[in-house]
Amino acid sequence: MGKRWMLVVAGALVVGIWSARGHEQPATPEAAVSAAPKPTPAPRSTPKPKPTAGNWYDDYDPAHFAVQVRKSAKKAGVNPQLLMAILYNEDYKPHTPELERSWQRIKPDASFGIANMHRAAFDQTKRDRFPKRQWEELPDHPDLAIEAAAWHLHDLANRIPGNRESKYTDDELLALGYNAGAGNLRAFARGARPGAQAQSYLDKLHANWSKSASALNS
């Protein structure tokens, strides 16, 4: 009687286990896919807004001043692409006004503004044009810096000698003069070779030339 009872119980257990397995459904590929977490889409990148008048030095790019460059270049009678290329050439340091003034306290003969103009050049340029404006304003007023640079190039153009022996174009001579001064401009026009610093400035001008055209046309 005991053995028969144990056989009955064992048989019931086997039937129960088989029945339980019969109700399990194997996972289908579709179920596996639907159960997998969906990938999170990458956030869309939003374009940076152009700097406003109050924070133009944030994410500074000379291209943001294409309108002012065209206007000042036309008024001064100089090539706007040259003026824009010079702004790119001079974009080698931060132009935050506070930083420029801090550096000027350490180095009093430092240049000011996005065109990196020295005091003597600005004072000569402003005569009969904007005589009431001051060199100290340049860090805060990029429009003034652009206008002053355009007129400075205009004045340098009047210093190019008629008898030239160099291979440089007028724009190249003006860029060299902007960097090295009017005296050196005349020397370069008559065949003198630029030094390492002036040649580097000219090389940068060539590298920035096509970018400047694109900036003016954007």
Side-chain angles (χ1 to χ4, degrees):
M1 185 71 179
K3 289 182 179 181
R4 184 180 298 177
W5 173 251
M6 291 182 65
L7 289 173
V8 170
V9 171
L13 286 174
V14 171
V15 172
I17 293 172
W18 179 86
S19 300
R21 287 183 177 179
H23 289 288
E24 291 180 358
Q25 297 294 328
T28 62
E30 292 79 5
V33 171
S34 61
K38 295 182 178 180
T40 304
R44 293 182 179 179
S45 59
T46 56
K48 292 183 179 179
K50 288 186 177 181
T52 62
N55 68 331
W56 59 265
Y57 42 84
D58 290 344
D59 192 26
Y60 168 68
D61 185 342
H64 294 156
F65 294 96
V67 173
Q68 293 89 330
V69 167
R70 288 192 295 266
K71 179 180 177 182
S72 293
K74 182 178 180 179
K75 192 174 181 180
V78 297
N79 185 354
Q81 189 173 355
L82 170 64
L83 180 56
M84 180 64 82
I86 284 178
L87 293 184
Y88 274 112
N89 268 31
E90 302 295 342
D91 184 24
Y92 61 86
K93 67 178 185 180
H95 289 299
T96 305
E98 292 78 7
L99 290 177
E100 286 202 358
R101 289 194 172 88
S102 297
W103 179 244
Q104 198 267 341
R105 283 192 288 269
I106 299 172
K107 188 178 179 182
D109 63 342
S111 55
F112 262 176
I114 61 175
N116 284 334
M117 185 170 282
H118 291 277
R119 184 191 295 271
F122 179 82
D123 288 344
Q124 290 175 359
T125 300
K126 75 175 189 176
R127 297 172 184 172
D128 302 326
R129 290 161 182 157
F130 32 88
K132 295 183 179 180
R133 305 302 296 268
Q134 302 299 319
W135 175 74
E136 290 82 0
E137 298 179 60
L138 291 179
D140 299 288
H141 298 279
D143 292 11
L144 176 61
I146 293 170
E147 184 179 7
W151 282 113
H152 185 42
L153 290 170
H154 169 92
D155 294 344
L156 287 171
N158 293 331
R159 303 294 301 274
I160 298 177
N163 54 334
R164 289 160 51 174
E165 299 178 5
S166 72
K167 60 182 179 180
Y168 299 116
T169 66
D170 284 357
D171 285 340
E172 290 173 328
L173 285 172
L174 290 177
L176 287 169
Y178 194 92
N179 176 252
N184 284 318
L185 178 153
R186 294 177 67 84
F188 299 146
R190 288 173 176 156
R193 295 183 61 182
Q197 181 177 340
Q199 184 60 52
S200 175
Y201 196 84
L202 189 59
D203 293 341
K204 285 178 63 179
L205 185 87
H206 293 155
N208 289 325
W209 197 250
S210 60
K211 179 167 62 174
S212 301
S214 299
L216 289 169
N217 294 324
S218 60

